[in-house]
Amino acid sequence: SASSRRQVLVLGSGYDTRCLRYGKQPFLDFYCVDLPSVASNSQKIIDRYMSEIPSDSSEPKQPTFIDFNLNDVFNKNESILHVVSKSGFVADGSIPTMIICEAVLFYLIPDAAQKITTELFQLSSSSSSSRYCFTDNLSKVGVTPGGGPGGPPQVVARTRCESWLKGNNKELIEHDSIWGGAIHFVGAKERIIIEDATSASF
């Protein structure tokens, strides 16, 4: 049913095989975004894999490959949500969604990285069902590496990442970092704000 649908958006998907490993789960759709040449080659690899599955075995669902240069969100004033929604991605936050961004942002120009993350963070504006996974350098979205008065690099990296997410109404649920905070491993979700009843005016 439509209410059971779930989706995963993989940015800079390359030759990632999650779409095959989890493709047999019911009502789960994968959308894989990368440069046209990479998306085309990935599609060919998946097609070949599918053709070699024995006829008596269940097949994973075909992922949707979207050929798109992520820098074009800035260079050509494109909208990442508009681009992926044209291929069936539900961009209104109405169904559970996982956004995966691994080793992608440091290849982008800063303006593109900032625009993409800001727009994707708007997915959950009316729902708490979206989750975000970053394994990336976050300096282009303002999370600088290195330590400081707040402590050693790993501690400061978490604090800076948490502040960035909070500014986008997201809650940090998992975090680690390496190389002095140059690379972050982040799990995040929608930040739920519960109003303090004692501060409400009557």
Side-chain angles (χ1 to χ4, degrees), residues 173-186:
I173 53 178
E174 289 187 70
H175 184 273
D176 201 354
S177 64
I178 57 174
W179 302 336
I183 302 297
H184 294 254
F185 305 88
V186 180

Side-chain angles (χ1 to χ4, degrees), residues 120-187:
L120 291 176
F121 281 151
Q122 295 172 2
L123 261 178
S124 300
S125 59
S126 60
S127 169
S128 60
S129 59
S130 293
R131 297 292 185 268
Y132 300 84
C133 176
F134 294 93
T135 302
D136 222 316
N137 181 298
L138 300 179
S139 60
K140 292 183 180 178
V141 294
V143 184
T144 56
Q154 195 167 32
V155 173
V156 174
R158 180 185 178 93
T159 300
R160 290 172 179 165
C161 181
E162 197 163 25
S163 177
W164 169 61
L165 290 169
K166 186 176 181 180
N168 287 281
N169 203 32
K170 300 294 171 285
E171 178 184 343
L172 182 66
I173 53 178
E174 289 187 70
H175 184 273
D176 201 354
S177 64
I178 57 174
W179 302 336
I183 302 297
H184 294 254
F185 305 88
V186 180

